[in-house]
Amino acid sequence: MKTKHNRVGIIAPTPLIQHQLQSVVAEAGYEIAVNTSPERLNKSFLTNETIRLWVVELEESEQWTGFVQEILERTEMPILFGDGNIPGKNDEDYPRWRRRIHEKLASFAPVVEEAASAPEINLDALISSPVTQRYELPESLKHAPCPNLGPIWVLCASLGGPQAVKAFLDLLPSDVPAAFLYAQHIDAGCLDALVQSIGRHTSLSVVNGEHGAQLANGRVLVVPVDNEIRFTENHGILWQSNGWSGPYGPSHDHLLKNVAEHYGSQSNAIVFSGMGSDGSLGASLVKESGGTVWSQSTDSCVQSSMPDSADDAGTVDWRGTPEQMAEKLLRWLAEHRHAAA
């Protein structure tokens, strides 16, 4: 299946202009990854490789000179600058303006792009890595009432990620009061083998995130590569007929957006080893929803670009090794329960 890679960033000074641009860009078949004002733009997003085009509409004013120069210097993606004249929808010039924008979008960034190659994974190495220890629940959680569904933690990983995710999951006890979604950049044909390898030594239940599968405490659902997923009111997975946005499947940004929209402050994320910047945009939505974001420490990664990008975007609350993250998660769950009580 081909992956849609049609993500556009919009920068405009007012909510009205932002809305007008979003409407016409979405009509052309593009996904809006960022839509913000110059003052609120997270500058690190200008280097996000999943955004293929920036649409910038600023009033002609000297106050934007420095900002425009910074955009030109920081992003390698094409930039479509508006002419400062957006007609109203009932204006006779609107159809001509909309057509011109659509033509420019198609010229700068054609709508469909071939999916990028997924990183290669040594599954044999995962199978031969036995567990040497396992953490226990803190005393405050051992006798506490267990919620039907605890916080949702999305594990985002790419190159070097499976080793880190396995090390993290292997240390967690089976009765951990949290549910997990594991999103790994991988070829779809390797997904079953990944599930078996990751689940070989952990006490958690690691299963494919099939259509209808349920999120549950102590369960790790491995996110499908070729199908976007959403969620039912009773925490079931709904496969969509379309693929993920972005160059890789599953898209961490897209998944985190869906999780944050459905679960709000119960949404959390860990960005593990990987190339690129997938996850940094979605992590910002998790933070805006009241969730927590961690990333793997640079020195413990095979490739630290992905967790570093999330950190550079200002969305990461804490960084550590997979082993440190497993220990911290149990403490976090105890503190989270106390705070929610």
Side-chain angles (χ1 to χ4, degrees):
M1 178 184 293
K2 289 184 177 180
T3 300
K4 297 278 188 178
H5 186 191
N6 312 316
R7 314 187 84 198
V8 171
I10 294 175
I11 304 173
T14 68
L16 175 60
I17 297 176
Q18 291 166 19
H19 175 75
Q20 290 173 314
L21 289 173
Q22 176 160 330
S23 176
V24 74
V25 170
E27 284 177 354
Y30 294 83
E31 178 193 358
I32 312 303
V34 177
N35 191 356
T36 188
S37 65
E39 297 87 354
R40 298 189 61 188
L41 174 68
N42 186 325
K43 301 294 179 59
S44 70
F45 291 163
L46 292 171
T47 58
N48 188 294
E49 88 287 352
T50 70
I51 299 177
R52 296 181 59 210
L53 173 70
W54 288 90
V55 177
V56 180
E57 182 69 64
L58 300 173
E59 301 168 352
E60 292 186 8
S61 171
E62 292 185 359
Q63 75 177 103
W64 304 121
T65 303
F67 177 76
V68 169
Q69 185 62 37
E70 185 173 10
I71 295 175
L72 293 171
E73 291 175 353
R74 295 193 64 166
T75 186
E76 296 181 359
M77 300 303 176
I79 305 172
L80 172 55
F81 286 101
D83 58 11
N85 180 26
I86 300 180
K89 277 200 170 183
N90 296 325
D91 194 299
E92 63 179 10
D93 290 331
Y94 182 80
R96 187 182 306 110
W97 172 81
R98 180 178 61 185
R99 184 171 60 254
R100 187 169 67 251
I101 293 296
H102 286 182
E103 289 172 351
K104 288 182 178 180
L105 288 169
S107 173
F108 280 35
V111 166
V112 176
E113 182 176 279
E114 200 68 47
S117 299
E120 294 184 3
I121 297 173
N122 185 350
L123 297 177
D124 292 336
L126 295 179
I127 294 174
S128 62
S129 302
V131 158
T132 57
Q133 62 175 322
R134 183 166 286 124
Y135 298 142
E136 292 187 359
L137 282 183
E139 287 296 325
S140 61
L141 287 179
K142 284 184 178 180
H143 308 293
C146 185
N148 292 331
L149 184 69
I152 313 298
W153 281 86
V154 182
L155 314 179
C156 303
S158 188
L159 181 64
Q163 299 94 315
V165 171
K166 185 177 188 301
F168 169 77
L169 294 175
D170 282 353
L171 292 169
L172 297 179
S174 61
D175 51 355
V176 60
F180 302 90
L181 288 163
Y182 173 25
Q184 172 68 49
H185 292 162
I186 192 174
D187 185 270
C190 299
L191 202 61
D192 289 341
L194 177 69
V195 170
Q196 294 175 11
S197 301
I198 294 294
R200 188 175 182 86
H201 301 115
T202 180
S203 65
L204 306 182
S205 171
V206 181
V207 297
N208 269 312
E210 301 287 358
H211 183 76
Q214 295 288 128
L215 279 77
N217 292 340
R219 176 177 292 176
V220 182
L221 295 182
V222 181
V223 178
V225 172
D226 289 336
N227 294 85
E228 177 193 355
I229 61 170
R230 292 186 176 273
F231 308 93
T232 66
E233 291 304 313
N234 64 342
H235 314 304
I237 282 183
L238 286 174
W239 278 30
Q240 307 299 294
S241 58
N242 55 282
W244 299 97
S245 66
Y248 299 104
S251 163
H252 300 149
D253 286 329
H254 196 166
L255 174 64
L256 290 171
K257 174 178 179 290
N258 290 357
V259 173
E261 287 178 349
H262 191 86
Y263 287 104
S265 61
Q266 287 291 87
S267 315
N268 308 280
I270 301 177
V271 183
F272 286 93
S273 176
M275 294 183 66
S277 60
D278 195 13
S280 60
L281 295 173
S284 69
L285 298 177
V286 170
K287 288 291 294 179
E288 289 176 8
S289 297
T292 296
V293 178
W294 299 340
S295 71
Q296 188 174 347
S297 58
T298 298
D299 58 358
S300 68
C301 292
V302 171
Q303 171 53 254
S304 68
S305 176
M306 204 165 74
D308 288 347
S309 293
D311 195 15
D312 291 343
T315 62
V316 175
D317 299 296
W318 177 82
R319 301 188 70 169
T321 67
E323 295 78 13
Q324 290 169 337
M325 285 191 283
E327 184 178 12
K328 185 174 178 67
L329 177 64
L330 298 179
R331 295 199 308 270
W332 183 92
L333 288 168
E335 294 166 1
H336 183 84
R337 173 189 168 275
H338 179 73

